Amino acid sequence: MIQKLLLFSNIAVLMEAEETKKSLNFIEAIVEKDLQEGKNGGRIQTRFPPEPNGYLHIGHAKAICMDFGIAEKYNGICNLRFDDTNPTTEDVEYVNSIQEDIQWLGFKWANVYYASDYFQQLWDLAIKLIKDGKAYIDEQSAEEIAKQKGNPTTPGIESPYRNRPIEENLALFEKMNSGDVKDGDLVLRAKIDMASSNMHFRDPIMYRIINNRPHHRTGSKWKAYPMYDFAHGQSDYFEGVTHSLCTLEFEVHRPLYDWFIDQFANKDYRPRQNEFNRLNITYTVMSKRKMLQLVQEKLVSGWDDPRMPTLCGLRRRGYTPTSIRNFIDKIGYTKYDGIIDVSLLEHSIREELNATATRVSGVLNPVKLIITNYPEGKTEMMEAINNPEDETKGSREISFSKEIWMERDDFMENPPKGYFRMTPDKEVRLKNAYIVKCTGCKKDVNGEIEEVYCEYDPMTKSGMPESNRKVKGTLHWVDAKNCIDAEVRLYDRLFIVENPSEEKEKDFKELLNPDSLKTVLNCKVEPCLQTAKPLENFQFQRLGYFNIDPDSKKGKLIFNRTVSLKDSWAKEKK
RNA sequence: UGUCUCAUGGUGUAAUGGUAGCACAUCAGUUUCUGAAUCUGCUUGUCUAGGUUCGAAUCCUAGUGAGACAACCA
């Protein structure tokens, strides 16, 4: 018994040592320190707070992994909270897609909350601030207020309405919510410091009027809506959030976050905001505004266009939840705002699919290969291993006959140095079949190759001793008599420059890659793909990883290329 | 000419005063019935100048560079 206990404690120690081997990111370090100091009674609570006004992208995935990851790691909880304080752009469509995407990534929230559920509490707090002489109604135009704000290097000037009597402020605040006042005519501002070096302290707006569109949850009950700065920290407080984690651009908001909470909070509990770097990836954009433009101007097919960095786009492209989470895990969290090479993302999906994807044959740009000495009408079944990285996946049979489709690029009459595919008088191996020797080709009047000819060596069938002969090239193929047509969509980077957001003088849309989508029709693929399910991943041998696009219908297969295989030959040619 | 934040190979990230390590990318080789994967190896880095210290990527000072902030967006 004692020995058993000792063993267990040793294991615990070892496990701890194992765990501490992987260094903590700075947020985890903060959390552990808070835990050691017994802050908030050792309770850990985070939240993921999207505004339901767009689709989640891979940048959100980074925040999601942080928010949910911290809760999971430290036995806390993470809630999903919709920051729905601005009805003009928000919609239930987004509420739903956001929940779907989080679940797809594999995270579970403790509760779903809405900032709109706190509208009454926030309203009451605003009234308290007015009564304390710390908030007032301004009736100047947005332009006037902006002008008075000054700029980061010159102080602002005070509003003429700043010292309005409390009773008048209370009456006008009520009026803001009556529906009788036009948008923009009245705002509630906090009375702080128009000369503050932090622009957010120059009497920030707490409430504004939005009449034009009912709220997707509260309907037309409210006309005056709280601003982010007045809603976010309080919502965190109401919910009992201990660590309010967000991205770096909110750093300058933190003093205001604390200031509002100071106005009413008791001293024994306090949510703390900490900021980490947001995700940027080369050759794409990570701004909701820009993505929305691409969608609205139909420069992409929608939020789920496989070229988009949205989670629904990546999913459709063939990315898996684990590949995205592994990617996020690799890039880490710091306060340095850099840009991640997209090749790391590509590596994450290749790494996974290499281990899991079934190998099949697909010929994208087919040309007929005729094995002249192969008996007419004969068909042989060949064994094809489903995944050489995973024996448990077994094998399947594929048919082989006199006429097969091969890749047009795999034949050259006058090849460059280093080419070891099909070329006259040279031998190549047909994957899972025979070694063949090219004997020539037939061209049409324009010199286009119509057919390629070869002779097979019957002794070299895969598995036979003779087949071990050293042959440099191995080609994929499909049986012309037994294959199906498919459409294949090849994707390239969406933009032609590494960082489209950095180009100041050019509109980012001018930097779109005109060749980001190539649709290839009449590709030939193995018949077994007929029964493949939407989003199922495959490796087309020698070409890359592909999945079934959800637009596929029976009889009309559509594949997306998730990512190509690495290709050192293509590199060498350059 | 303000406030805040940041600075480690090409990119990202570790080292928490004590041997600058890892991943991706690159290149070379190995292996291969996928020009993939595997395996091995190479190259490349602490922004600058001072200071503290036996010892500094790490602490201090100054400089340089970068980012965020001037929405009735979040």
Side-chain angles (χ1 to χ4, degrees):
Chain A
M1 184 67 188
I2 291 169
Q3 269 185 331
K4 216 175 196 179
L5 277 174
L6 272 173
L7 183 69
F8 270 112
S9 67
N10 282 342
I11 288 170
V13 168
L14 275 175
M15 277 166 62
E16 202 166 333
E18 193 84 22
E19 243 174 88
T20 47
K21 246 186 222 168
K22 189 176 191 271
S23 54
L24 303 175
N25 66 49
F26 79 103
I27 299 279
E28 291 169 330
I30 288 168
V31 170
E32 291 201 1
K33 186 162 175 281
D34 290 345
L35 246 20
Q36 274 162 17
E37 291 171 1
K39 272 193 192 154
N40 300 312
R43 199 172 55 80
I44 297 296
Q45 184 172 326
T46 59
R47 96 274 91 110
F48 175 62
E51 185 187 13
N53 69 346
Y55 283 75
L56 258 28
H57 54 67
I58 191 165
H60 292 110
K62 177 171 177 178
I64 289 168
C65 289
M66 170 59 88
D67 292 331
F68 286 89
I70 287 284
E72 201 168 289
K73 181 166 181 182
Y74 297 103
N75 298 313
I77 61 168
C78 178
N79 296 310
L80 170 60
R81 181 178 74 233
F82 289 100
D83 248 348
D84 54 351
T85 56
N86 181 2
T88 47
T89 56
E90 296 162 7
D91 200 284
V92 286
E93 173 198 356
Y94 301 119
V95 170
N96 296 333
S97 77
I98 287 168
Q99 301 199 32
E100 243 183 82
D101 287 344
I102 297 170
Q103 286 168 324
W104 177 70
L105 277 178
F107 291 103
K108 289 187 177 64
W109 50 82
N111 304 289
V112 180
Y113 294 136
Y114 294 83
S116 54
D117 287 342
Y118 312 133
F119 281 170
Q120 187 61 55
Q121 287 174 83
L122 291 166
W123 181 267
D124 295 342
L125 279 181
I127 289 188
K128 175 185 157 33
L129 251 62
I130 295 172
K131 286 182 176 168
D132 289 347
K134 289 177 176 167
Y136 63 96
I137 300 286
D138 201 331
E139 55 192 83
Q140 301 179 95
S141 70
E143 296 72 43
E144 281 172 304
I145 291 175
K147 209 159 84 187
Q148 287 168 6
K149 219 161 222 177
N151 64 43
T153 53
T154 55
I157 55 171
E158 295 184 353
S159 164
Y161 301 99
R162 198 170 199 258
N163 296 310
R164 196 194 283 279
I166 288 172
E167 287 312 313
E168 208 177 304
N169 281 321
L170 287 169
L172 285 171
F173 190 42
E174 286 298 334
K175 209 174 156 197
M176 273 182 73
N177 205 34
S178 66
D180 300 335
V181 189
K182 286 206 307 286
D183 292 23
D185 283 359
L186 297 177
V187 290
L188 180 70
R189 300 178 72 181
K191 192 192 286 187
I192 311 181
D193 178 8
M194 289 305 289
S196 172
S197 55
N198 184 333
M199 295 297 290
H200 297 281
F201 271 60
R202 322 252 261 226
D203 288 11
I205 288 167
M206 296 164 61
Y207 270 85
R208 78 307 206 176
I209 300 169
I210 299 171
N211 283 307
N212 62 359
R213 193 158 177 223
H215 190 277
H216 56 104
R217 296 193 78 244
T218 62
S220 44
K221 183 178 176 195
W222 300 92
K223 299 293 181 196
Y225 290 91
M227 296 280 292
Y228 166 84
D229 282 308
F230 188 63
H232 198 95
Q234 276 82 307
S235 300
D236 284 344
Y237 184 88
F238 298 152
E239 291 172 3
V241 168
T242 58
H243 297 266
S244 184
L245 310 172
C246 60
T247 46
L248 249 25
E249 66 269 26
F250 291 100
E251 220 156 26
V252 282
H253 292 252
R254 195 193 326 134
L256 185 56
Y257 176 103
D258 290 333
W259 189 89
F260 277 127
I261 292 174
D262 281 340
Q263 302 311 307
F264 69 92
N266 62 40
K267 299 280 176 266
D268 51 353
Y269 152 68
R270 181 61 55 110
R272 292 290 174 196
Q273 177 180 306
N274 291 104
E275 312 85 12
F276 56 85
N277 58 345
R278 59 184 301 155
L279 173 60
N280 298 299
I281 300 182
T282 53
Y283 300 105
T284 190
V285 291
M286 212 67 85
S287 125
K288 241 191 242 180
R289 205 195 88 242
K290 286 176 181 156
M291 289 182 207
L292 182 65
Q293 261 186 73
L294 295 176
V295 171
Q296 284 178 338
E297 298 177 27
K298 303 209 184 308
L299 297 164
V300 295
S301 66
W303 287 100
D304 68 342
D305 187 301
R307 292 166 292 179
M308 291 281 273
T310 49
L311 292 178
C312 52
L314 289 163
R315 182 194 307 145
R316 186 167 172 187
R317 173 83 171 253
Y319 277 83
T320 58
T322 41
S323 69
I324 290 172
R325 289 175 65 161
N326 287 339
F327 167 72
I328 299 293
D329 199 48
K330 279 179 193 131
I331 62 177
Y333 297 86
T334 66
K335 301 189 83 154
Y336 176 75
D337 228 332
I339 182 162
I340 310 278
D341 197 320
V342 69
S343 61
L344 187 59
L345 212 213
E346 294 175 341
H347 169 258
S348 308
I349 189 63
R350 284 195 187 107
E351 185 182 41
E352 179 177 345
L353 263 20
N354 177 48
T356 60
T358 298
R359 271 60 168 171
V360 296
S361 288
V363 179
L364 266 42
N365 186 8
V367 65
K368 191 69 77 63
L369 174 67
I370 298 173
I371 301 131
T372 51
N373 61 339
Y374 195 83
E376 196 81 43
K378 181 179 175 182
T379 292
E380 272 182 276
M381 297 312 286
M382 304 293 187
E383 187 189 21
I385 291 167
N386 287 325
N387 186 343
E389 307 286 321
D390 183 356
E391 278 181 26
T392 67
K393 291 290 170 63
S395 62
R396 67 183 184 287
E397 288 203 316
I398 54 174
S399 72
F400 178 83
S401 59
K402 188 181 178 82
E403 296 192 6
I404 61 179
W405 294 109
M406 66 174 281
E407 210 69 63
R408 197 168 279 274
D409 288 351
D410 284 343
F411 173 78
M412 280 186 100
E413 246 190 320
N414 301 299
K417 207 175 161 223
Y419 187 85
F420 47 84
R421 303 177 186 183
M422 190 161 293
T423 189
D425 300 322
K426 288 279 173 357
E427 280 193 327
V428 294
R429 185 189 306 277
L430 296 175
K431 178 83 182 168
N432 301 318
Y434 296 97
I435 293 173
V436 297
K437 186 181 211 170
C438 182
T439 53
C441 64
K442 180 175 130 193
K443 294 183 217 170
D444 67 11
V445 286
N446 300 318
E448 281 286 303
I449 310 286
E450 274 187 320
E451 287 173 345
V452 179
Y453 305 115
C454 69
E455 288 175 356
Y456 84 119
D457 178 346
M459 301 307 289
T460 60
K461 184 172 172 178
S462 291
M464 293 174 85
E466 277 285 295
S467 72
N468 290 332
R469 207 154 79 208
K470 277 269 180 258
V471 177
K472 203 79 162 129
T474 300
L475 308 187
H476 64 279
W477 51 272
V478 294
D479 186 355
K481 267 200 317 217
N482 188 19
C483 66
I484 50 181
D485 281 4
E487 172 180 333
V488 173
R489 296 173 183 168
L490 303 176
Y491 301 103
D492 196 358
R493 43 184 67 141
L494 230 199
F495 291 90
I496 52 173
V497 295
E498 276 199 358
N499 193 351
S501 308
E502 211 181 43
E503 308 276 329
K504 295 277 184 264
E505 63 285 353
K506 272 192 185 158
D507 180 28
F508 79 103
K509 285 174 289 182
E510 292 171 36
L511 303 166
L512 280 165
N513 177 7
D515 300 318
S516 59
L517 167 63
K518 261 190 217 136
T519 303
V520 189
L521 302 171
N522 303 318
C523 303
K524 310 291 182 188
V525 300
E526 275 183 48
C528 70
L529 289 165
Q530 194 61 262
T531 54
K533 294 175 197 62
L535 298 182
E536 195 173 347
N537 303 93
F538 295 94
Q539 185 194 89
F540 284 10
Q541 290 171 118
R542 303 208 302 134
L543 298 179
Y545 296 100
F546 294 74
N547 78 341
I548 304 270
D549 190 273
D551 279 354
S552 287
K553 292 183 188 67
K554 218 178 156 79
K556 191 182 190 297
L557 276 181
I558 303 171
F559 289 91
N560 295 310
R561 184 174 67 192
T562 309
V563 65
S564 66
L565 253 34
K566 289 215 271 182
D567 187 352
S568 54
W569 170 241
K571 259 180 216 158
E572 200 175 309
K573 281 188 292 188
K574 279 181 195 169

